[in-house]
Amino acid sequence: MNPQNLHSVDEELVAAYIDGDVTTEERQRVEAAMATDEQVAWEVNTMRQTVELLQDLPAVPLPRSFVLTEDQVADVLLERRSRAPTPAAQTPPPQEPADSPWQRFLRFLNGGDLALRNAAALAAVLLVLFYVAEVQLQQNQTGTPDGAGEQLSQAPSAPQAQVTAVGGDLSQSDGAVAVEPSSGDSQTADTEGNAGQDDDEAEFGVMSVGEQDQQTGDSAKQPVAAAEVKPESAAAAPAASADTQQSGSENVDNSNQVLLTVFRYARILLVLAVIALWLFSRVRSRGSRA
Amino acid sequence: MDQDKLIELSLQGDLEAFNQLVIEYQGLGYGVAYRLLDDPDSAADALQDSFIKAFRALENYRGGSFKSWLMRIVVNTCYDHLRSRQRKRTESLDDMPVDEEYVVQLTDRSESPHEFAERRELQELIISAISSLPEVLRTAIVLRDVEGYAYEEIAEITSAAVGTVKSRINRARGRVRDYLGKNAELLPSVYRHSLK
C-alpha cells in the first residue's frame, strides 16, 4: 500500500485510525501498511501530530450571555402564547379539600371592599345600640308591675301615691294584693297594729299620708268603719296627688314618644345603610377585580 | 429540567425555558462560531442570530439530538455570515485584535515570556491554517479536532454521510499539516522536522 493509494482509497480509514475509531482488523491493516511503507507511516504520524496541535488550541471564553429577550422574538412569542393551552387547562390544579359551610360563610362575609365593609359593620353596631336603647325606653315607659313596685317602695313620697293608687285598683279588682310597707311607712304599720290583724285592713295596708292620718284618728274605736272608708279615700287621694304628677308624666311620655320615634326611624335607616354599604362593597370589589 | 420539557415549554411561548437551553449550549456554539469565522464580533453576531433562528424554527425540530440540530443552525448561520460579509482578510496575524481575557487564559505562570510568545505564535498559525480551509473542510476539522464532536454528530450537523465526514476530516488534516509545514520555523522542535 503506497501513500497515494492510502490517501485516495483509505483516507477515511486513516482518519478513523488516528481517532481510534477502527476495528481490530482495520487497525492491523493500517499498521501493516505503515510497517511496509515509510510514506504511509509518515502520512499517519504527521496527521496524528497535526491533530495534537489542533486539540491543544484553548477553549474560547464566552464574551457575553446570548439569552434571548422578548423583543428579539416578540412575534413568535405572541403567536405561540396565543396557541398554547391555558395553564389551567394544561395542568389542573390539585383539588383543595371542600370548605365547610361555615368557612364558605366566613369567606362570603370577608369578601368585598374593606373600607365599605367596615362602614357597614359600624352601621350594624349603631343599629344594635339604637335597638337596645329603644327597648330600654319602652320598658321604662310601660313598666312591669314588679318593677314598678320595687321602684316605688324605695321612693320617698310621690311614687308612694302611685303605688297606693295601684294597690287600690288591685284591691278593687280581686282584693288579694299585699304590698309590703316600706321603711318610710312605719306610721302605717303602727296603725295596722293598732287596728288589729284584720284581713280587710291588710288589703289596704299601704295608703297615702292623708289617708293614714284619717285612719289613725279612727282606728282605735272604729276599725270596721275605717276599713269601709278606705276604698273611697284610696280612690280619692290618688286622684288628688295624680293631678300634680299627671302633667309631669305626660311631658315625660311625650318626650319618650318622640325619642322612640326617632329611634325607630334611625333603626330603619341604619338597616338600610348596612345593606347598602355591604352590597356596594361587594360590587366595588368585583369591579376592581375585573 | 428535562431538555424535552424545556423544548415543549418553548413551543408554548415560554422564553425562559428556551433561555435555559441557550445557557446550556452557548459555550459550545460560540466555540464553533469563533473557529469558523475567526472573529469574535462576527462569531457573537452569528451565534445570537443562530439562537433567534433556532427559537423561530423550533417547530421543525423533530426529535433526535437537539445539540446537533442547534449546531447545524450555528454552522449554517456562520456560512451565511461568511458569504454575506464577503470579506477579505486584510489584517495580518499581528494586527488581529486580542481579547484581554483570552490572553490571561493563555498565560501559564510556569512558562517564560519567550515561551508564551512562541506558543501564541503557534496558535495563531494553527488558526490561520484552519481559516485557509474551504468551508466544509474547516467545519469538519473544527467540529472533530477542536470541539471534539463524534463522527455521527458531525454527519448530522453537516447533513453528510459518516464516510464523507471522515474523508473531509482526513483531507482537512492533511491541508493543515501542509500549511504548518510551510511555516515550520514557528513549530515546536518536536514537530518542526517531522512536518517538513
Side-chain angles (χ1 to χ4, degrees), chain A residues 11 19 49 58 66 68 80, chain B residues 13 19 26 35 55 151 167 194:
Chain A
E11 59 180 4
D19 291 327
Q49 288 174 337
F66 290 91
L68 302 186
R80 284 185 189 162
Chain B
N19 277 335
Q26 61 184 357
R35 296 299 178 203
F55 186 74
Y151 289 136
S167 176
S194 57

Side-chain angles (χ1 to χ4, degrees), chain A residues 50-288:
Chain A
T50 304
V51 170
E52 284 173 8
L53 286 170
L54 289 165
Q55 287 174 341
D56 277 348
L57 280 176
V60 185
L62 203 61
R64 62 178 173 87
S65 170
F66 290 91
V67 293
L68 302 186
T69 62
E70 299 248 344
D71 293 341
Q72 288 172 316
V73 285
D75 53 335
V76 184
L77 278 177
L78 195 69
E79 187 192 330
R80 284 185 189 162
R81 285 172 184 168
S82 65
R83 270 199 328 243
T86 58
Q90 203 179 1
T91 52
Q95 287 287 325
E96 289 177 8
D99 287 346
S100 66
W102 175 246
Q103 283 173 320
R104 281 203 299 274
F105 177 69
L106 284 179
R107 203 166 53 232
F108 177 72
L109 281 183
N110 286 333
D113 184 79
L114 184 65
L116 290 171
R117 218 174 59 215
N118 287 343
L122 182 67
V125 169
L126 283 175
L127 175 65
V128 171
L129 290 176
F130 270 93
Y131 180 73
V132 169
E134 191 183 330
V135 168
Q136 196 70 32
L137 202 64
Q138 273 176 335
Q139 277 183 351
N140 286 348
Q141 197 178 21
T142 56
T144 59
D146 288 344
E150 276 174 29
Q151 206 175 12
L152 294 171
S153 64
Q154 290 167 1
S157 57
Q160 199 172 14
Q162 275 186 323
V163 171
T164 306
V166 169
D169 288 344
L170 288 171
S171 67
Q172 283 171 351
S173 62
D174 58 15
V177 175
V179 180
E180 289 293 326
S182 64
S183 60
D185 293 335
S186 58
Q187 201 177 0
T188 308
D190 291 340
T191 307
E192 281 177 9
N194 293 335
Q197 301 302 317
D198 197 330
D199 285 342
D200 289 336
E201 281 180 20
E203 280 182 50
F204 305 103
V206 179
M207 297 175 188
S208 67
V209 176
E211 193 181 9
Q212 286 166 7
D213 289 340
Q214 189 183 5
Q215 195 177 357
T216 309
D218 300 336
S219 61
K221 298 173 182 176
Q222 298 174 341
V224 177
E228 285 172 356
V229 171
K230 274 180 202 169
E232 291 169 8
S233 59
S241 62
D243 284 341
T244 55
Q245 288 200 334
Q246 198 168 4
S247 60
S249 66
E250 271 177 10
N251 286 339
V252 171
D253 284 352
N254 283 342
S255 63
N256 283 352
Q257 278 300 331
V258 171
L259 264 178
L260 277 174
T261 311
V262 168
F263 283 170
R264 205 161 291 141
Y265 280 116
R267 213 175 56 185
I268 292 166
L269 283 174
L270 282 169
V271 167
L272 290 174
V274 168
I275 294 170
L277 284 168
W278 185 77
L279 283 175
F280 193 45
S281 83
R282 307 284 306 187
V283 169
R284 197 166 160 186
S285 134
R286 203 166 290 176
S288 67

Side-chain angles (χ1 to χ4, degrees), chain B residues 73-113:
Chain B
I73 293 175
V74 173
V75 168
N76 288 332
T77 307
C78 287
Y79 289 168
D80 292 343
H81 274 246
L82 279 171
R83 287 163 195 160
S84 66
R85 194 166 56 181
Q86 293 181 340
R87 67 185 174 99
K88 285 184 179 176
R89 285 179 61 87
T90 52
E91 312 107 318
S92 69
L93 291 176
D94 294 334
D95 294 334
M96 284 180 71
V98 178
D99 189 346
E100 289 303 316
E101 276 185 58
Y102 192 58
V103 171
V104 168
Q105 199 190 42
L106 290 177
T107 304
D108 180 353
R109 289 169 192 270
S110 67
E111 68 183 358
S112 67

